[in-house]
Amino acid sequence: MRSTRAVINLKAIRHNLSIVRQLASGVKVMAVVKADAYGHGIVQVANALSDENNSVDSIAVSCMDEALKLRESGIGLPIVLLEGFFSSEELLLAIRHNLQIVIHQQSQLEAVEKLTDLSDDVKLKLWLKLDSGMNRLGFSQALYQDAFNRLGALKYVESVNLMSHLACADDINNVFNREQIEAFNNVTKSLPGDRSMANSAGIVAWPESHYDWVRPGLILYGCSPLAGCTGQLHQLQPAMTLKSQLFVIRELCKGEPVGYGSAWQAKKMTRIGVIAIGYGDGYPRHAREGTPVWIGGKTYPLVGRVSMDMLTVDLGMEDKLEIGEPAILWGDNLPVETIAEFSDTIPYTLLCGVTSRVKFEWQA
Ligand SMILES: Cc1ncc(COP(=O)(O)O)c(C=O)c1O
């Protein structure tokens, strides 16, 4: 059987949560598990983060489907809808499932104001988003206070917390981070309610953005959010190991090509290893020549084009390797950040992009 697997180490995720708690000590944690927990399995990850001895304080998803999946699987933690609701029907659904809603634009504010016929026990917990400079979601600095007052005046609103999002936190030299933090401070300083701004990069690099709640995503999965770094720098452990195996080994003479387009030719006699994973599994097709693959305790360079179902590595002539040898594409011993760099992308896309053909195994 084709042994292509994504092994998800839930212990590593819990360990990474403890690193978040060290970095943002005394601050509440809203774990971001959108996009199937960055490809790690939303239900399994949410369960791992609900451990009664080491639970997060809430969970954030992007949309209703994700929230319902969690509720249906019995997750009782507070759930925050980061993109709010997309229709008034969805607003009612959010209320029914006791979801916390991010209000980020005028139409949502108006929809909340127009709610009628609610039972007396409805107590909405809202997050009001400030656009502190990212220009994507959120109320402008000029309109924020008014939106806050309007929501706060509604009898069925229990609390309005305050949030914003950093645009450039992964770049520790970027002055825009300070400007955004300052804008958030200025607008929210006289308002009651918890405040939240930091994503993973904010947690690592911008302590002044921690406030009352941090919102880690990538860091929980073991990756460094800082450009050019790996999770090891922050003592994180990779949560996903993508693996397969060597299923063909063949000798090539000098000058012989390998793969589509004959894009690579052997510079001298060598052995090529064929590994059963390709872009049909989520391995990046544009990974450059030389991208490392971990086999038998060391790395070998990717050569030739990545195909849909397989890729090829240059094994050289020296090492004793046999068909069936496990190969790690990223994870233990091989940071996904490194593969992302070789592929001109970011670890987020690689983790989210593992396809359903790959078998997932969760290790408690
Ligand atoms: C509003 C918000 N907060 C936090 C996060 C978590 O970001 P990261 O994965 O960089 O920690 C995201 C993810 O995109 C987000 O959209």
Side-chain angles (χ1 to χ4, degrees):
M1 194 200 282
R2 193 169 186 262
S3 67
T4 312
R5 298 247 184 297
V7 180
I8 309 300
N9 181 348
L10 297 170
K11 215 187 273 172
I13 294 179
R14 287 191 290 266
H15 163 83
N16 298 334
L17 172 61
S18 70
I19 300 287
V20 170
R21 292 211 187 277
Q22 279 169 33
L23 290 165
S25 154
V27 173
K28 284 175 269 194
V29 176
M30 182 191 299
V32 180
V33 300
K34 60 187 181 155
D36 203 23
Y38 293 41
H40 294 69
I42 189 167
V43 172
Q44 290 83 354
V45 169
N47 270 316
L49 294 172
S50 307
D51 189 308
E52 63 183 42
N53 299 316
N54 185 20
S55 173
V56 294
D57 303 284
S58 71
I59 289 196
V61 297
S62 76
C63 58
M64 183 60 71
D65 284 352
E66 295 174 334
L68 292 185
K69 196 166 178 188
L70 291 175
R71 283 287 181 254
E72 278 156 19
S73 71
I75 298 291
L77 279 170
I79 297 178
V80 180
L81 286 173
L82 289 176
E83 291 184 354
F85 52 90
F86 285 76
S87 65
S88 22
E89 292 75 40
E90 222 176 63
L91 171 57
L92 294 176
L93 208 53
I95 295 171
R96 188 161 354 123
H97 290 279
N98 193 21
L99 307 177
Q100 299 186 12
I101 306 165
V102 173
I103 304 294
H104 56 77
Q105 61 180 331
Q106 200 69 18
S107 60
Q108 293 175 322
L109 167 60
E110 285 162 13
V112 173
E113 283 181 323
K114 281 192 197 129
L115 283 167
T116 49
D117 301 329
L118 294 176
S119 76
D120 287 344
D121 56 356
V122 168
K123 296 281 172 229
L124 287 184
K125 291 188 175 153
L126 305 175
W127 289 84
L128 183 62
K129 189 158 191 175
L130 173 74
D131 178 5
S132 55
M134 195 167 181
N135 287 321
R136 198 177 60 169
L137 302 185
F139 286 82
S140 69
Q141 296 174 46
L143 295 177
Y144 192 79
Q145 170 108 38
D146 177 60
F148 181 87
N149 293 341
R150 282 168 61 180
L151 289 171
L154 301 169
K155 68 177 187 333
Y156 45 86
V157 170
E158 179 179 307
S159 60
V160 184
N161 286 336
L162 319 165
M163 70 182 287
S164 193
H165 196 43
L166 292 164
C168 306
D170 57 331
D171 177 1
I172 53 175
N173 297 314
N174 198 320
V175 292
F176 194 50
N177 292 298
R178 288 248 141 65
E179 290 170 23
Q180 282 196 274
I181 292 167
E182 231 172 85
F184 190 53
N185 280 338
N186 285 339
V187 177
T188 60
K189 66 176 175 254
S190 60
L191 301 178
D194 284 358
R195 295 193 282 177
S196 174
M197 194 171 207
N199 56 1
S200 295
I203 293 166
V204 167
W206 303 94
E208 60 276 52
S209 73
H210 290 177
Y211 299 103
D212 305 296
W213 288 82
V214 288
R215 307 192 304 267
L218 190 69
I219 193 174
L220 288 175
Y221 308 104
C223 296
S224 174
L226 303 182
C229 301
T230 66
Q232 257 184 343
L233 177 70
H234 323 287
Q235 285 80 51
L236 299 169
Q237 295 171 2
M240 179 193 290
T241 294
L242 183 65
K243 47 167 75 165
S244 185
Q245 69 184 163
L246 208 52
F247 75 111
V248 172
I249 298 176
R250 59 193 306 152
E251 282 191 6
L252 250 60
C253 295
K254 182 178 172 189
E256 283 189 306
V258 70
Y260 285 117
S262 301
W264 183 86
Q265 296 93 33
K267 290 175 193 66
K268 55 184 182 187
M269 183 152 184
T270 192
R271 284 172 312 162
I272 290 296
V274 187
I275 297 169
I277 192 162
Y279 62 80
D281 303 290
Y283 192 88
R285 181 185 176 277
H286 45 286
R288 281 199 298 278
E289 181 185 324
T291 304
V293 177
W294 181 270
I295 307 168
K298 64 184 265 199
T299 59
Y300 293 88
L302 176 81
V303 293
R305 284 192 195 151
V306 173
S307 314
M308 186 183 285
D309 311 316
M310 60 193 106
L311 55 79
T312 40
V313 291
D314 184 0
L315 299 175
M317 294 302 286
E318 284 85 46
D319 299 331
K320 192 171 165 343
L321 289 166
E322 287 177 7
I323 286 175
E325 186 81 50
I328 290 179
L329 289 309
W330 66 64
D332 289 338
N333 300 311
L334 191 51
V336 66
E337 297 93 316
T338 304
I339 309 307
E341 222 169 282
F342 271 94
S343 313
D344 295 322
T345 187
I346 52 175
Y348 298 81
T349 58
L350 298 183
L351 296 174
C352 289
V354 176
T355 67
S356 57
R357 182 166 76 176
V358 175
K359 292 200 176 56
F360 275 70
E361 275 173 23
W362 288 270
Q363 293 179 344

